[in-house]
Amino acid sequence: MNLTIALVGNPNSGKTTLFNQMTGSNQKVSNLPGVTIESKEGLVKGHKGVKVVDLPGIYSLSPYSAEEVVARDYIINQKPDVIINIVDATNIERNLYLSLQLMELKTPMVIALNMMDEIRNSGVFIDIQQMKETLGIPVVPISASKNEGVHDLIHCAIETAQKRLLPKKIDFCTGPVHNAIHSISHLIENEAKAAGLPLRYSATKLVEGDDLVMETLKLEEPEKDIIQHIVDDMEFHLETDREAAMADMRYCFIEELCDRIIKKGGESKAHLRSIKIDEILTHKYLALPIFLGIMLVIFWLTFGPLGTWLSDFLGAGIDHLASITDAALSRTNINPVLHSLIIDGIFVGVGSVLSFLPLITILFFLLSVMEDSGYIPRVAFVMDKLLRRLGLSGRSIVPLLLGFGCSVPAIMAARTLPSRRDRYMTIILVPFMSCSAKIPIYAMFTAAFFKEHQALVMFALYIMGILVAVCCALLLKGTIFSGNPVPFVMELPNYRMPVLKSVWLRMWENILGFIRRAFTIIFLATIVIWLLQSFDAGFNMVESSDQSMLASIGILAVPIFAPLGFGDWRAATALITGLSAKEAVVSTFAILLDAPNATALPAMMSEIFTPLTGFVFLVFCLLYMPCVAALATIRKEMGSTWKASAVVLFQTSVAWIVAFLVYNIGKMIL
Ligand code: GDP
Ligand code: MG
């Protein structure tokens, strides 16, 4: 038996929970709180050869967001044997909107009616039998988090797949929409067959005006004209536009269905509780301060004493391991070059990154709790209006805030955005939020040049990062990212007590990703930088790094930075090594200036900088391209080296221009 089950449903309907129940720990995973962008795959426990694929959470099959296109293309092209459509029973009307569209895909399908535990507690009764009959497909009530009904669901899905039971009814329409769909169906029968698209689906998509489907069908001009005519006619009769007509038709049907199957015995308890909580958390004036307060607490827990202590502790452990290894290597009298590579290169490089693991763990734990409790959609809702003016959607707020900690998880968090446009814009702006790795640079420079105004200068840098991001957002919105953020569907799920197991699983996925990165990309980068720092162009090991290849490269970069006031090869080199990790800027200065220890370093900085050029250097550090780890993440999330290169070029150009302006304006004032 070889079967593929596709799991489809709205965000927050419990897909991931169900997926975990079905597969156990038996899965290839890499998704973040919120929406799954990549499809995850796993084998169903106890059923050999049965594979389940978790598709991205979606609200409909329209072509407006990357996820929806990915999901529908997957079903049409990969032809899974059966769809499990997971429906949140506490939000049944909104969820069935997707179900009706899925049923048009001519694929065997089962509805998993989830969250039945809550329905049970709320006094609501859902007539499952009636629902099955009206929809013409199997409906299995389950509770994914309590692992109830999952067994039955799997059996039902396998049976439906093996017997290839297609949805019995797909014709839910009436009136002018009905006429339009059926006329178009007749017209495009051959084209749909040739293109391998389900006929009914093609027809409804043409009524909606879906350009992607239109293209795939390769229609002739006369046919297009007839379709346009049919649609015009429908719009004229209904006095609404085509998309609204389809939506109305679907909701009408759903309303009737729900009237028939839902017997209310009072509002659901969970829902009433949610409304109460929301009176405070999404209050007109309180919402923002509460949100800021929660973020502050999260940052404090992550980057404050607890996280720092754990990081230092892990860092010390790694250092200890390094010195043990160092001693062991010395005893074996191994080749000194290899010795230096292992100790100065790999241990220092990979170790300095790995020591951030506790921060990442705490951050993702807290975020998972926020996500699981249902608070994140509220934040997005509260921030939506403000961010919309900048061409961003409310959901962008989470990645942007995370950017103050570290760009890597922040860029990954952009996956929660529903459209590619919103996601790209957010990814481009995240690195302008000053990440915590830059704090040592700021601290060192302000100690050197701005002793009296240390806090003020730091604050100015953070604000400058935000302002530059705002300007860039407006610029991007007016140019390559014109168009609007995806409308924010205000469907606030009920608050729930976070379930430890799902919090843990979410967190674990992210931690694993981070560790994997440290041992692949960062591992390679540190080896390259170590090589450049330790050898000259003739591959002789150098005594001091100013004879190294790195220095020769630094000298090449000098003309670029001369107009900014710091045309010194050491400054250029520090910026280059800073690409491995921003903290490396400080350690590079320490090595290149031959500082006896860290405390002596600030006093020696005036060899290279004046207070003005020092500040300009900080501005450049704030804005220029992110470190390799962030870079690799951008590349992965955008899925293309070219796009990532363009982003980096854009950010570095912005950094150069702003630094240039600051330098010249500064020169005029001082
Ligand atoms: P996804 O966005 O579709 O992947 O949804 P998740 O699996 O992340 O679930 C969203 C929330 O619903 C989480 O807090 C789950 O713990 C919760 N949840 C999932 N299934 C059930 C269920 O059957 N009953 C209850 N009460 N909560 C559930
Ligand atoms: Mg999920």
Side-chain angles (χ1 to χ4, degrees):
M1 182 166 60
N2 255 328
L3 282 178
T4 306
I5 301 175
L7 213 54
V8 192
N10 287 12
N12 264 311
S13 55
K15 263 174 344 87
T16 304
T17 313
L18 176 62
F19 182 80
N20 290 336
Q21 295 287 14
M22 289 172 77
T23 58
S25 50
N26 197 350
Q27 43 176 273
K28 282 187 273 174
V29 282
S30 57
N31 81 321
L32 217 94
V35 187
T36 329
I37 289 264
E38 304 146 326
S39 55
K40 292 195 292 183
E41 279 189 26
L43 292 174
V44 178
K45 262 191 304 195
H47 294 271
K48 237 180 160 208
V50 181
K51 193 173 76 176
V52 54
V53 180
D54 185 14
L55 292 178
I58 53 175
Y59 291 108
S60 88
L61 293 182
S62 54
Y64 304 125
S65 82
E67 281 71 20
E68 308 195 342
V69 175
V70 167
R72 71 188 201 183
D73 284 354
Y74 178 88
I75 296 166
I76 290 168
N77 300 328
Q78 306 299 317
K79 300 193 185 357
D81 298 285
V82 59
I83 299 172
I84 291 184
N85 170 215
I86 178 158
V87 165
D88 174 354
T90 62
N91 264 321
I92 194 164
E93 300 188 17
R94 153 113 241 146
N95 278 248
L96 283 175
Y97 188 73
L98 175 65
S99 312
L100 289 191
Q101 298 181 55
L102 290 172
M103 287 163 70
E104 294 179 340
L105 291 175
K106 232 182 154 179
T107 306
M109 174 167 153
V110 175
I111 284 184
L113 196 58
N114 193 27
M115 316 261 179
M116 286 308 281
D117 55 320
E118 279 191 15
I119 292 293
R120 219 167 31 223
N121 291 335
S122 66
V124 173
F125 171 78
I126 299 182
D127 187 343
I128 308 278
Q129 194 54 37
Q130 176 72 268
M131 188 172 167
K132 275 186 211 173
E133 278 165 21
T134 315
L135 288 173
I137 58 174
V139 177
V140 183
I142 66 167
S143 165
S145 61
K146 299 208 150 63
N147 202 10
E148 290 171 7
V150 176
H151 195 68
D152 293 345
L153 174 67
I154 294 172
H155 273 282
C156 178
I158 291 176
E159 190 187 342
T160 308
Q162 284 173 333
K163 295 189 181 157
R164 284 208 56 77
L165 299 175
L166 293 176
K168 290 200 192 82
K169 303 176 194 167
I170 45 173
D171 209 3
F172 303 115
C173 51
T174 49
V177 179
H178 175 93
N179 296 341
I181 292 177
H182 285 265
S183 315
I184 293 179
S185 291
H186 286 302
L187 194 67
I188 61 165
E189 215 162 325
N190 294 332
E191 282 84 353
K193 198 173 242 165
L197 294 183
L199 179 58
R200 167 77 188 200
Y201 162 79
S202 310
T204 39
K205 287 295 145 196
L206 289 181
V207 172
E208 282 175 352
D210 186 322
D211 292 334
L212 288 179
V213 171
M214 181 78 100
E215 260 167 50
T216 318
L217 286 171
K218 298 205 182 62
L219 297 170
E220 309 278 344
E221 273 318 310
E223 285 173 316
K224 287 186 186 167
D225 288 344
I226 299 175
I227 291 170
Q228 191 57 49
H229 185 79
I230 294 174
V231 171
D232 287 345
D233 202 48
M234 175 192 78
E235 286 182 329
F236 175 78
H237 279 289
L238 289 171
E239 294 174 1
T240 57
D241 69 72
R242 55 208 297 177
E243 286 175 81
M246 283 299 302
D248 280 351
M249 185 274 285
R250 292 196 184 111
Y251 275 125
C252 261
F253 173 79
I254 292 171
E255 230 171 87
E256 261 175 45
L257 172 75
C258 290
D259 273 351
R260 238 181 305 162
I261 62 171
I262 298 177
K263 314 265 184 315
K264 282 216 167 113
E267 281 271 23
S268 121
K269 256 188 249 159
H271 189 62
L272 285 178
R273 194 176 52 219
S274 287
I275 292 174
K276 279 236 179 68
I277 301 176
D278 269 339
E279 271 168 17
I280 302 168
L281 293 189
T282 61
H283 183 271
K284 212 159 138 203
Y285 302 113
L286 290 180
L288 216 56
I290 291 178
F291 166 59
L292 292 179
I294 292 178
M295 282 324 286
L296 268 178
V297 170
I298 289 186
F299 272 69
W300 182 76
L301 285 174
T302 309
F303 300 109
L306 177 67
T308 323
W309 183 79
L310 285 172
S311 267
D312 290 347
F313 187 71
L314 186 63
I318 293 171
D319 283 350
H320 187 65
L321 191 66
S323 58
I324 293 176
T325 315
D326 196 2
L329 288 177
S330 304
R331 276 200 298 280
T332 57
N333 93 65
I334 188 177
N335 178 323
V337 178
L338 196 59
H339 188 152
S340 163
L341 171 65
I342 293 171
I343 300 301
D344 306 331
I346 296 168
F347 263 101
V348 171
V350 176
S352 72
V353 173
L354 266 189
S355 64
F356 285 119
L357 187 61
L359 299 192
I360 303 263
T361 309
I362 299 174
L363 192 64
F364 275 107
F365 172 76
L366 296 171
L367 281 176
S368 294
V369 169
M370 274 228 288
E371 163 84 14
D372 230 41
S373 64
Y375 183 60
I376 296 258
R378 269 86 183 174
V379 175
F381 167 66
V382 168
M383 294 298 294
D384 195 50
K385 223 187 230 151
L386 218 66
L387 287 175
R388 199 158 282 275
R389 298 222 183 105
L390 302 178
L392 291 166
S393 115
R395 292 170 216 260
S396 309
I397 190 66
V398 181
L400 289 175
L401 283 168
L402 287 180
F404 287 116
C406 172
S407 298
V408 172
I411 291 163
M412 293 189 337
R415 286 190 203 165
T416 51
L417 296 167
S419 87
R420 179 180 296 211
R421 174 194 170 281
D422 300 1
R423 206 155 51 233
Y424 280 8
M425 250 181 105
T426 310
I427 290 176
I428 294 171
L429 298 180
V430 158
F432 290 137
M433 306 294 118
S434 179
C435 81
S436 61
K438 291 175 192 161
I439 292 174
I441 313 179
Y442 301 162
M444 202 260 286
F445 271 79
T446 50
F449 299 113
F450 311 103
K451 259 212 140 46
E452 287 99 87
H453 305 291
Q454 227 165 337
L456 188 71
V457 172
M458 288 228 196
F459 187 66
L461 286 167
Y462 276 89
I463 297 294
M464 187 179 269
I466 296 172
L467 288 180
V468 169
V470 168
C471 293
C472 288
L474 292 173
L475 179 77
L476 292 172
K477 182 186 161 205
T479 53
I480 47 174
F481 291 113
S482 59
N484 286 315
V486 166
F488 187 58
V489 187
M490 214 214 81
E491 180 81 8
L492 300 181
N494 290 342
Y495 285 102
R496 296 193 176 90
M497 205 55 204
V499 180
L500 192 64
K501 190 172 162 198
S502 78
V503 168
W504 165 254
L505 271 169
R506 273 178 220 274
M507 199 175 86
W508 180 236
E509 287 169 21
N510 293 302
I511 294 172
L512 216 58
F514 179 79
I515 296 175
R516 210 176 287 136
R517 234 181 6 262
F519 283 102
T520 50
I521 177 87
I522 293 175
F523 180 76
L524 279 176
T526 51
I527 290 180
V528 170
I529 286 177
W530 174 85
L531 280 174
L532 294 177
Q533 215 162 16
S534 311
F535 292 92
D536 65 13
F539 281 99
N540 305 300
M541 202 150 184
V542 292
E543 286 286 310
S544 98
S545 51
D546 62 355
Q547 297 145 11
S548 69
M549 257 187 282
L550 193 61
S552 339
I553 297 169
I555 287 166
L556 289 182
V558 164
I560 301 173
F561 299 115
L564 307 183
F566 46 90
D568 185 291
W569 76 269
R570 290 166 293 191
T573 308
L575 287 172
I576 296 171
T577 53
L579 295 181
S580 68
K582 297 289 158 144
E583 300 92 328
V585 170
V586 175
S587 52
T588 306
F589 277 125
I591 297 167
L592 297 182
L593 286 169
D594 222 1
N597 57 47
T599 23
L601 183 59
M604 304 173 77
M605 293 303 291
S606 50
E607 208 178 298
I608 305 179
F609 296 100
T610 66
L612 175 63
T613 59
F615 184 71
V616 176
F617 184 84
L618 286 183
V619 170
F620 192 81
C621 277
L622 165 72
L623 303 172
Y624 86 124
M625 62 186 283
C627 67
V628 282
L631 203 62
T633 316
I634 293 177
R635 205 214 80 89
K636 175 152 181 290
E637 296 299 311
M638 291 191 140
S640 135
T641 309
W642 285 113
K643 284 180 194 160
S645 312
V647 170
V648 164
L649 194 67
F650 172 75
Q651 284 159 344
T652 310
S653 310
V654 168
W656 196 91
I657 292 167
V658 175
F660 183 76
L661 290 177
V662 170
Y663 180 53
N664 283 286
I665 295 170
K667 258 199 317 200
M668 275 187 323
I669 297 173
L670 300 176

